[in-house]
Amino acid sequence: MAADASDFLVTTDLREIDLDTVHRWLSTDAFWALGRPRQTVQQAAEASMNFGVLDRDQTLVGYARVVTDSATFAWLCDVYVEPGSRGNGLGLLLATAVVDALRPLSLKRVLLSTLDAHGLYERVGFTTIPDPKKLMVLAPTQPQTTGP
């Protein structure tokens, strides 16, 4: 019998989220974070709102984090459900938990980027950006190299 979302709990307590597992997922399986160093995962988590999905055995099976100033803006990122737990509604459970946590902040804008989960995020209230031509991105800075 397949598990359903009621068999899982979302925690926002970073102490309950196994960052070694998050690092393994992101650095080896998440196309946007391949090769991400463990220290970067730690630093990012410590500066973010974190959401971990735990199964009945308290094993981490999903993760998301939100970068926010808690006043005007938030960015939902690093959403991941481990492959063996997919298909149980955990992406929707995570997205709902994030929206429920952010709604009381009355933020002006909450953004995310997704290649293929538009339908899932639409179910919790996300829409496409009305004028994407207004958005811009700053290219990552390259480390300075010193001369010989």
Side-chain angles (χ1 to χ4, degrees), residues 4-141:
D4 66 32
S6 66
D7 294 324
F8 300 88
L9 169 77
V10 177
T11 182
T12 57
D13 186 343
L14 188 54
R15 295 170 297 187
E16 296 177 350
I17 297 172
D18 179 357
L19 289 181
D20 288 330
T21 297
V22 172
H23 171 251
R24 179 174 41 81
W25 290 340
L26 296 180
S27 68
T28 65
D29 191 42
F31 69 88
W32 66 90
L34 292 175
R36 184 179 290 174
R38 172 63 172 79
Q39 179 54 37
T40 301
V41 171
Q42 180 83 34
Q43 183 178 353
E46 289 174 355
S48 301
M49 294 174 68
N50 297 274
F51 298 80
V53 179
L54 304 174
D55 68 11
R56 290 182 183 229
D57 297 323
Q58 303 299 299
T59 301
L60 187 70
V61 294
Y63 177 76
R65 71 183 179 91
V66 175
V67 180
T68 184
D69 61 12
S70 298
T72 63
F73 178 79
W75 176 262
L76 172 58
C77 55
D78 290 342
V79 180
Y80 187 92
V81 174
E82 68 95 14
S85 296
R86 293 177 187 165
N88 292 314
L90 300 185
L92 182 59
L93 180 69
L94 262 173
T96 300
V98 167
V99 168
D100 289 349
L102 294 178
R103 198 169 307 282
L105 300 177
S106 299
L107 302 173
K108 180 176 175 138
R109 184 160 290 122
V110 178
L111 297 177
L112 65 85
S113 176
T114 183
L115 287 179
D116 58 3
H118 294 78
L120 179 140
Y121 293 110
E122 287 170 351
R123 291 177 64 188
V124 296
F126 283 88
T127 61
T128 57
I129 293 176
D131 191 356
K133 291 181 181 183
K134 289 182 179 180
L135 290 178
M136 297 185 75
V137 64
L138 179 64
T141 56

